[in-house]
Amino acid sequence: MARQLYLYLFIITALLASFTYVYYSKQLKFEKDSKTQMLKSKSDSIVQLTNQLDESNAFTLLKNEYAQNYFVNFDVKQLEPSIREQLIAFNDSPAGNVYTGQEKLGEQKFIINKMKVLNHRWIIANYSDGTYWGEAMIKYFVDDKGKATFQTMDTFIYPKEEY
């Protein structure tokens, strides 16, 4: 009788051990597969974001070789921040930045918030007075000393949204 009891306990223990082994081996395989799939999806996301960034930076001075060749006497990496600073400096005017093409519509003046140097000749800028928002296309020229002059080509102000 004791022999049969030990035999049953041995069989039950062997079954439990084999079920536990199969369960944990499948769980490890599942975790490994899910990590691999997650890494693949993250890698795909990184590739997709990199492609989107390259696409959006296609129209920049730093990515346009033809525009860079126009500025033979300048380091383009230093020229772009200089142009940005020179244009943003007009925000300090009491009437606002003249290159927004907008007169004051209220208490606040229009200032340029963001801008992107598209190539050797054009800048696109976002401006606002806190209530109204708009965009401007600005033409610029750089003299031999690195001083930029600007000319507003076109502007657009968005209608005020009422909530």
Side-chain angles (χ1 to χ4, degrees):
M1 180 92 154
R3 264 181 122 179
Q4 288 180 341
L5 181 63
Y6 286 127
L7 180 63
Y8 288 133
L9 287 175
F10 177 75
I11 292 172
I12 291 173
T13 304
L15 284 172
L16 284 175
S18 65
F19 286 140
T20 303
Y21 172 76
V22 169
Y23 172 77
Y24 282 114
S25 66
K26 285 188 178 185
Q27 184 180 12
L28 286 173
K29 185 181 181 311
F30 174 77
E31 287 177 2
K32 182 180 175 184
D33 290 345
S34 66
K35 283 181 183 178
T36 304
Q37 191 174 25
M38 182 180 65
L39 288 174
K40 185 179 182 294
S41 71
K42 284 185 179 182
S43 174
D44 291 344
S45 297
I46 290 171
V47 168
Q48 186 178 22
L49 288 173
T50 303
N51 290 341
Q52 285 178 350
L53 183 61
D54 287 344
E55 181 84 17
S56 69
N57 284 334
F59 291 102
T60 62
L61 182 59
L62 295 176
K63 294 282 186 175
N64 187 337
E65 287 185 38
Y66 296 113
Q68 289 177 8
N69 291 337
Y70 184 80
F71 293 116
V72 178
N73 300 328
F74 296 102
D75 179 11
V76 178
K77 291 181 181 176
Q78 293 177 353
L79 183 63
E80 186 174 354
S82 172
I83 294 168
R84 183 179 309 275
E85 289 172 12
Q86 292 178 54
L87 183 58
I88 297 294
F90 288 98
N91 286 348
D92 296 335
S93 169
N97 195 317
V98 295
Y99 297 106
T100 62
Q102 301 295 326
E103 300 289 326
K104 287 171 76 172
L105 295 176
E107 297 287 321
Q108 300 293 326
K109 61 184 180 179
F110 282 100
I111 61 170
I112 292 178
N113 301 314
K114 295 183 216 172
M115 59 177 277
K116 187 171 193 173
V117 179
L118 299 177
N119 58 19
H120 66 288
R121 191 59 69 220
W122 300 320
I123 297 170
I124 189 166
N126 172 304
Y127 61 88
S128 75
D129 68 351
T131 304
Y132 295 95
W133 297 83
E135 294 173 348
M137 186 72 159
I138 301 168
K139 186 184 267 189
Y140 74 97
F141 302 93
V142 178
D143 65 14
D144 294 337
K145 297 176 183 168
K147 175 130 175 68
T149 56
F150 304 99
Q151 175 187 355
T152 305
M153 293 174 56
D154 199 5
T155 65
F156 179 79
I157 191 162
Y158 293 101
K160 184 178 177 182
E161 293 185 18
E162 302 289 332
Y163 295 101

